[in-house]
Amino acid sequence: MDGSQLIRARRSIRRYKPGVQIPREEIQLMLEAAMMAPSARNSRPWEFVVVESPAVKQQLMEAHPYCGMLATASLAVVVCGRPDRQEGWESQFWPQDCGAAIENLLLQALELGYGSCWCGCYPALERVEKLQKILGVSSLPVAIVAVGVPDEHPDARGYFDPQLVKYL
């Protein structure tokens, strides 16, 4: 699949085939893709926590009201922001930088044949604080990304709307 096809084929998957283990090499490819995202002054204000443990996935589901899909997902990648890695004017851009990393991860997962679902955490500080405790991190959890072999094939929900475009 080329880039254009990947973008148009990506879906939020909420049902996965249970019991599938994703090889470490493929997890690393997803993380490498995430880390290739652009960031303000190449500050790379992120870190990643890969959760394969069913017990920890259960804790994540209890901490985040919209992560029930983790029950069957192979893993969760928690993308955490590191605002301490940015200075000056770019210190406000870490959420956008993490968002770019998340999108790269989603697209790489799809290219490898996996489904994914982006579940936002930051700026919901109650979620952030719960996840920091569960994961033992001081960085700021921006999102939980569920990854696994899809057990559903939802229709596209995005579309081009020319009324949202202004040409100058």
Side-chain angles (χ1 to χ4, degrees):
M1 228 183 288
D2 69 23
S4 183
Q5 292 169 321
L6 275 172
I7 290 166
R8 285 158 179 77
R10 194 214 56 79
R11 304 284 186 274
S12 292
I13 301 298
R14 291 177 177 83
R15 286 193 331 226
Y16 301 93
K17 294 181 180 175
V20 176
Q21 186 171 13
I22 298 176
R24 283 288 156 111
E25 310 82 56
E26 292 183 344
I27 296 169
Q28 187 169 329
L29 283 172
M30 288 182 255
L31 295 170
E32 181 182 0
M35 292 183 203
M36 294 298 294
S39 63
R41 297 185 69 182
N42 197 33
S43 57
R44 302 165 47 90
W46 48 59
E47 65 184 22
F48 304 85
V49 180
V50 178
V51 179
E52 297 174 290
S53 161
V56 179
K57 287 191 298 180
Q58 180 62 42
Q59 289 179 310
L60 296 178
M61 288 187 289
E62 291 167 8
H64 192 303
Y66 303 106
C67 284
M69 77 286 295
L70 291 178
T72 56
S74 299
L75 57 88
V77 178
V78 184
V79 181
C80 299
R82 293 280 310 272
D84 59 301
R85 295 192 64 172
Q86 294 182 326
E87 297 176 5
W89 63 267
E90 76 268 15
S91 66
Q92 301 172 52
F93 293 101
W94 63 270
Q96 293 93 317
D97 297 341
C98 288
I102 294 164
E103 185 66 14
N104 279 10
L105 192 153
L106 299 176
L107 293 173
Q108 182 66 72
L110 178 59
E111 197 271 334
L112 291 169
Y114 300 109
S116 59
C117 190
W118 173 342
C119 303
C121 301
Y122 182 86
L125 295 182
E126 182 177 314
R127 287 181 201 168
V128 167
E129 291 167 1
K130 287 178 183 178
L131 293 173
Q132 285 174 315
K133 288 177 186 168
I134 293 166
L135 302 171
V137 298
S138 60
S139 54
L140 301 170
V142 174
I144 298 170
V145 179
V147 182
V149 175
D151 199 17
E152 66 176 351
H153 300 282
D155 292 332
R157 294 176 69 185
Y159 59 92
F160 177 72
D161 184 350
Q163 294 186 42
L164 300 176
V165 180
K166 179 178 181 178
Y167 292 93
L168 300 176

